[in-house]
Amino acid sequence: MRESSFIQQNRARWEAFENVVNNPRSAKPDRLAELFIQITDDLSFARTQYPASRTTTYLNLLASKIHLEIYRNKKEEIVA
């Protein structure tokens, strides 16, 4: 698939994802999880097909932002 077709096909979903990233507290947890999975799937495809592309960088940025939001309050056990 050409990169321009990939962008055009997924643009609406990425815009919805950006809206959630800009206001993550208003989104339901299930919606956050669903979008995160979709974005990471798109990121995986982009890394394979367009490794040095700005699209790959953009998707990585979106995925990292939502990952930080999802796992921000996760408590971790400290092993001494």
Side-chain angles (χ1 to χ4, degrees), residues 13-59:
R13 184 172 58 216
W14 298 344
E15 288 173 354
F17 190 78
E18 280 187 54
N19 291 335
V20 170
V21 167
N22 291 334
N23 195 5
R25 304 227 186 271
S26 67
K28 295 180 181 178
D30 289 340
R31 181 68 176 146
L32 284 175
E34 177 186 327
L35 287 171
F36 181 69
I37 290 168
Q38 291 172 354
I39 288 296
T40 54
D41 286 347
D42 291 344
L43 175 59
S44 177
F45 180 82
R47 282 184 174 165
T48 303
Q49 300 297 317
Y50 329 109
S53 169
R54 290 189 311 153
T55 303
T56 303
T57 304
Y58 167 75
L59 291 172

